[in-house]
């Protein structure tokens, strides 16, 4: 039988790896949404409430896991739940906070060391990565604390110091002076939700992440979402969106019964177009809530709206068709064929489909083709940007005036109207925006490290992900007249290091390549809290990564991504190498000649 502790200076060390329990070769997606999983110290079946202090008995490891779950749930009782784990003599050392001041420090556990002391207490040292601060308004803000280690003690709760009654459980001694919540508990007891704010030009809705305790009664969910909207967007997203009018307040609580919901707001202005946009914003922010919504502005009722009908009539994104797969083969773009998937036609004229290294092809709302390619320059290892737009097939390209020694795959910032296309590309470590004439303009980021290596644009065109100095960032995009400005980037905490590639896999998830001891690909939530290993045996550094960003309007194909490592391209779902026989419209390879490898795969949508 394994002992939970050892005497003296020796202790049990628990290593808590991010990929624990995931096979080395995994192509499985584990969605962070859903109820709690059954674990030791809990009743059978899912639960929305964390375990009580005595649920673990006197098993140190389970007790500590439950202690780091105790803060989960509705904020107004967080301190009460945590203090139930703390020894009576040490409860005053944790000062209560109320209302909006309640904040949970979400941490990723790295290691736990248990040392049994001569007085029968146990010293616990946990090593952590700070992920963020979960506030009462459901926002996971950037971390404030910098501690990488916390230390506290454990003692028996039995009156006779634990000599013969393990049922009494344990107590925490000298607790941390903050509320800690483990990343596992965060995944288990919270539901991630997307609420939506209008872009700064009011042309589209942009998602903003929130986290709702699963313990929150269902009848209060609508009220919570309205409060989130009234409170405004997350700080990092604010430069690219607009909140509700100043001094908007909720009159009483949102109420509902029998599939009908009533929301009453004290909101300035009587602009009917603005009110109509608010109804659309509410419909999408309420997620899968069914039924009718009656919005009142200062007690004046608006026409009752069916939530599903509003969502169907006002889609989040214009694209509804399945994506088409393409790749580069011997310097030209070709379709990729996979079973029953839709396989398209290259929307470029043959005379311009050459000397291509990587590409991003997009369809504008007016069905124009937007083509941006990195092409070879005047000599080896020199590159230019080439851009062409228009009806299919595009036959005229403009080229950038300057050559570069390195260029990332370009990305288009998608719009929902017929404005000229704009995109982003990284060249020689600098982020640039480009236009339809391939003119490139530097985009400042105001970061200490200026070495940008990758950029990816969300489907809404208002958010970007960046890799700068090997670290992951997200930022809001603000179309400033004819240009583009990027808001202050927010760094995301991840267990991956040395990041090399990124793309948006969903509207609230990123697909990221880096190192987890060995080269790997993870799915990471937009604020860095939720991590899922997608591929942990990549074997070589990923230099190219592309994904199809699924969303609530277009849900399939789920989890589709492709990448290139060490000169070989792969796809997911199912995971397999992209062989030359998947490339369409190429000349037969002569006998005895080794065919070239397809490279730089991408999706057209």
């Amino acid at each position: 039988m394994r002992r939970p502790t050892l005497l003296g200076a020796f202790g049990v060390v628990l290593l808590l790896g991010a990929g624990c329990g995931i096979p080395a070769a995994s192509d499985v997606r584990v969605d962070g949404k859903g109820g709690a999983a059954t674990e030791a110290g809990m009743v059978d079946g899912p639960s929305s409430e964390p375990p009580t202090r005595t649920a673990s008995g006197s098993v140190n490891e389970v007790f500590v896991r439950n202690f780091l779950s105790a803060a989960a749930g509705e904020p107004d009782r967080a301190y009460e739940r945590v203090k139930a784990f703390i020894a009576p003599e040490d409860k005053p050392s944790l000062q209560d906070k109320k209302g909006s001041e309640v904040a949970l420090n979400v941490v990723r556990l790295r290691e736990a060391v248990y040392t049994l002391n001569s007085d029968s207490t146990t010293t616990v040292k946990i090593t952590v990565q700070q992920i963020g601060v979960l506030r009462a308004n459901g926002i996971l803000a950037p971390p404030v604390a910098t501690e990488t280690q916390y230390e506290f003690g454990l003692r028996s709760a039995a009156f006779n110091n634990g000599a013969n009654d393990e049922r009494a459980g344990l107590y925490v001694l000298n607790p941390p002076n903050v509320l800690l919540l483990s990343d596992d508990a965060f995944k288990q007891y919270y539901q991630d939700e997307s609420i939506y704010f209008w872009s700064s030009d009011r042309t589209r809705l942009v998602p903003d992440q929130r986290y709702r305790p699963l313990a929150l009664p269902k009848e209060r969910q609508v009220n919570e979402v309205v409060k989130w909207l009234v409170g405004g967007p997350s700080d990092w997203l604010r430069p690219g969106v607009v909140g509700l009018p100043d001094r908007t307040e909720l009159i009483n609580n949102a109420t509902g019964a029998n599939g009908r919901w009533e929301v009453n707001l004290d909101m300035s202005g009587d602009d009917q177009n603005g009110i109509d946009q608010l109804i659309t914003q509410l419909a999408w922010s309420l997620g899968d809530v069914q039924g009718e919504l009656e919005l009142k502005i200062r007690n004046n009722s608006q026409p009752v709206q069916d939530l599903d009908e509003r969502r169907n009539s006002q889609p989040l994104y214009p694209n509804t068709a399945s994506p088409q797969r393409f790749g580069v083969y011997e310097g030209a773009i070709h379709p990729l064929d996979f079973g029953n998937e839709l396989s398209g036609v290259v929307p470029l004229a043959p005379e311009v489909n050459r000397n291509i290294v990587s590409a991003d092809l997009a369809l504008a709302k007016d069905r124009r083709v937007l083509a941006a390619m990195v092409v070879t320059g005047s000599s080896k290892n020199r590159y230019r940007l080439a851009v062409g737009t228009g009806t299919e097939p595009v036959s005229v390209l403009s080229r950038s005036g300057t050559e570069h020694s390195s260029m990332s795959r370009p990305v288009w910032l998608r719009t929902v109207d017929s404005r000229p296309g704009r995109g982003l590309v990284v060249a020689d470590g600098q982020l640039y925006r480009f236009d339809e004439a391939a003119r490139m303009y530097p985009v400042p980021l105001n970061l200490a490290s200026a070495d940008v290596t990758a950029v990816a644009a969300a489907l809404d065109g208002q958010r970007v992900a960046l890799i700068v100095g090997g670290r992951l960032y997200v930022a809001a995009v603000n179309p400033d007249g004819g240009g583009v400005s990027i808001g202050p980037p927010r760094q995301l905490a991840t267990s991956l290091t040395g990041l090399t590639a990124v793309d948006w896999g969903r509207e609230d998830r990123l697909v990221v390549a880096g190192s987890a001891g060995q080269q790997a690909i993870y799915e990471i939530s937009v604020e860095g809290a939720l991590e899922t290993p997608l591929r942990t045996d990549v074997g070589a550094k990923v230099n190219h990564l592309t994904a199809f960003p699924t969303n609530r309007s277009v849900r399939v194909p789920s989890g589709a991504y492709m990448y290139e490592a060490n000169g070989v391209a792969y796809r997911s779902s199912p995971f397999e190498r992209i062989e030359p026989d998947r490339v369409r419209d190429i000349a037969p390879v002569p006998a005895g000649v080794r065919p070239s490898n397809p490279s730089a795969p991408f999706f057209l949508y």
Side-chain angles (χ1 to χ4, degrees):
M1 178 176 179
R2 185 178 64 84
R3 291 170 59 99
T5 57
L6 295 176
L7 290 173
F10 299 94
V12 168
V13 179
L14 298 180
L15 297 177
L16 303 159
C20 182
I22 303 294
S26 172
D27 201 37
V28 178
R29 293 171 60 87
V30 181
D31 197 331
K33 299 184 179 183
T38 304
E39 63 173 35
M42 294 176 56
V43 297
D44 290 340
S47 172
S48 60
E49 296 280 358
T52 62
R53 181 187 64 80
T54 58
S56 62
S58 295
V59 181
N60 290 340
E61 294 94 326
V62 180
F63 176 81
V64 169
R65 184 169 70 228
N66 293 349
F67 171 58
L68 296 176
S69 302
E74 295 197 66
D76 58 353
R77 293 184 52 242
Y79 280 89
E80 176 186 337
R81 292 190 297 270
V82 172
K83 283 193 171 185
F85 282 72
I86 298 173
E89 65 271 23
D90 284 341
K91 289 183 191 291
S93 64
L94 184 61
Q95 297 297 314
D96 288 24
K97 295 181 180 179
K98 303 295 183 183
S100 62
E101 294 182 349
V102 177
L104 314 185
N105 283 43
V106 183
V107 295
R108 182 169 289 120
L109 296 181
R110 298 299 200 191
E111 180 183 79
V113 178
Y114 299 80
T115 304
L116 181 62
N117 303 313
S118 59
D119 61 356
S120 296
T121 64
T122 298
T123 298
V124 182
K125 293 182 180 179
I126 58 172
T127 302
V128 303
Q129 179 187 31
Q130 299 285 346
I131 295 176
V133 177
L134 181 61
R135 304 202 179 279
N137 60 3
I139 290 177
L140 185 67
V144 176
T146 58
E147 287 83 359
T148 58
Q149 191 175 84
Y150 292 95
E151 180 176 324
F152 50 91
L154 306 179
R155 74 162 173 83
S156 172
F159 290 109
N160 58 358
N161 206 26
N164 55 20
D165 189 1
E166 291 192 352
R167 293 173 300 176
L170 300 169
Y171 275 129
V172 172
L173 302 172
N174 302 313
N177 61 358
V178 295
L179 297 184
L180 295 178
L181 184 70
S182 72
D183 58 333
D184 285 339
F186 181 63
K187 297 173 187 176
Q188 190 166 339
Y189 299 111
Y190 290 85
Q191 174 75 50
D192 53 323
E193 306 276 5
S194 289
I195 62 173
Y196 295 85
F197 291 92
W198 285 99
S199 59
S200 53
D201 58 4
R202 287 195 166 272
T203 60
R204 79 213 83 172
L205 286 169
V206 182
D208 192 11
Q209 195 80 345
R210 292 292 191 278
Y211 289 92
R212 170 178 56 82
L214 291 176
L216 186 76
K218 185 174 180 60
E219 60 270 16
R220 289 173 48 199
Q221 291 179 19
V222 172
N223 194 69
E224 198 72 6
V225 168
V226 177
K227 287 166 57 179
W228 290 342
L229 291 173
V230 169
S234 301
D235 288 343
W236 75 270
L237 190 62
R238 197 175 296 272
V241 299
V242 292
L244 302 188
D246 292 343
R247 296 181 294 279
T248 296
E249 293 183 1
L250 180 62
I251 301 175
N252 300 319
N253 287 324
T255 57
N258 301 320
R260 186 182 178 96
W261 307 92
E262 180 181 303
V263 175
N264 194 359
L265 294 177
D266 182 0
M267 189 176 75
S268 62
D270 294 314
D271 173 31
Q272 192 58 46
N273 182 62
I275 292 173
D276 191 65
Q277 285 197 326
L278 174 58
I279 293 172
T280 300
Q281 183 178 1
L282 282 167
W284 280 110
S285 297
L286 290 174
D288 295 326
V289 172
Q290 307 291 312
E292 296 179 328
L293 171 69
E294 181 181 2
L295 175 64
K296 295 182 177 180
I297 305 298
R298 297 187 299 277
N299 297 314
N300 295 316
S301 293
Q302 303 296 310
V304 175
Q305 301 286 322
D306 181 275
L307 291 169
D308 272 340
E309 287 182 5
R310 175 55 64 119
R311 289 188 282 257
N312 291 334
S313 65
Q314 300 289 330
L316 282 173
Y317 307 106
N319 63 308
T320 57
S322 296
Q324 302 167 27
R325 297 179 191 255
F326 291 87
V328 176
Y329 187 83
E330 294 187 343
I333 295 174
H334 289 269
L336 300 177
D337 280 333
F338 291 99
N340 295 325
E341 286 189 13
L342 178 66
S343 182
V345 176
V346 178
L348 300 178
E351 61 268 22
V352 299
N353 188 15
R354 54 191 178 88
N355 302 324
I356 295 172
V357 178
S358 64
D360 184 29
L361 306 184
L363 299 176
K365 184 179 181 182
D366 56 7
R367 306 306 295 175
R368 287 188 313 139
V369 174
L370 305 178
M373 289 85 66
V374 174
V375 298
T376 53
S378 58
S379 61
K380 185 179 180 180
N381 298 326
R382 302 296 293 176
Y383 307 98
R384 290 182 184 272
L385 179 69
V387 178
T389 63
T391 56
E392 183 179 338
V394 174
S395 59
V396 178
L397 299 182
S398 300
R399 287 175 168 78
S400 58
T402 305
E403 293 187 349
H404 300 269
S405 59
S406 67
M407 293 190 81
S408 73
R409 184 175 77 96
V411 294
W412 289 101
L413 295 173
R414 294 173 182 267
T415 64
V416 293
D417 51 34
S418 57
R419 285 177 294 180
R422 289 169 290 189
L424 297 170
V425 67
V426 178
D428 295 337
Q430 166 71 52
L431 180 65
Y432 291 87
R433 69 172 174 88
F434 63 85
D435 59 20
E436 293 188 4
R439 292 180 293 241
M440 296 171 57
Y441 306 90
V443 178
L445 291 177
N446 194 28
L447 289 173
S449 173
D451 186 20
V452 187
T453 54
V455 61
L459 190 56
D460 48 76
Q462 296 289 135
R463 300 171 300 157
V464 294
L466 300 153
I467 294 178
V468 186
R471 298 179 177 89
L472 181 62
Y473 295 84
V474 290
V477 175
N478 189 357
D480 183 13
V484 171
S485 62
I486 304 293
R490 171 180 172 173
Q491 183 178 348
L492 306 186
T494 170
S495 57
L496 291 175
T497 59
L499 306 183
T500 60
V502 62
D503 205 356
W504 293 79
R506 287 164 32 185
E507 67 174 16
D508 59 352
R509 295 288 193 276
L510 301 167
V511 182
V512 185
S515 175
Q518 58 182 345
Q519 296 300 312
I521 297 174
Y522 277 29
E523 182 184 70
I524 299 175
S525 59
V526 73
E527 75 305 298
L530 307 178
E531 284 191 342
T532 302
L534 299 179
R535 194 78 193 168
T536 57
D537 63 343
V538 174
K541 184 172 73 173
V542 174
N543 64 292
H544 174 94
L545 175 66
T546 182
F548 174 65
T550 56
N551 59 80
R552 286 165 55 191
S553 295
V554 183
R555 299 177 184 268
V556 291
S558 177
Y561 67 94
M562 300 183 288
Y563 69 93
E564 182 182 340
N566 197 28
V568 179
Y570 300 85
R571 73 151 180 163
S572 70
S573 306
F575 176 78
E576 64 179 0
R577 177 171 174 168
I578 302 176
E579 300 285 359
D581 60 8
R582 296 290 191 181
V583 182
R584 208 178 71 200
D585 303 333
I586 59 175
V589 179
V593 176
R594 183 176 180 178
S596 301
N597 286 327
S599 63
F602 64 92
F603 295 95
L604 169 63
Y605 52 92

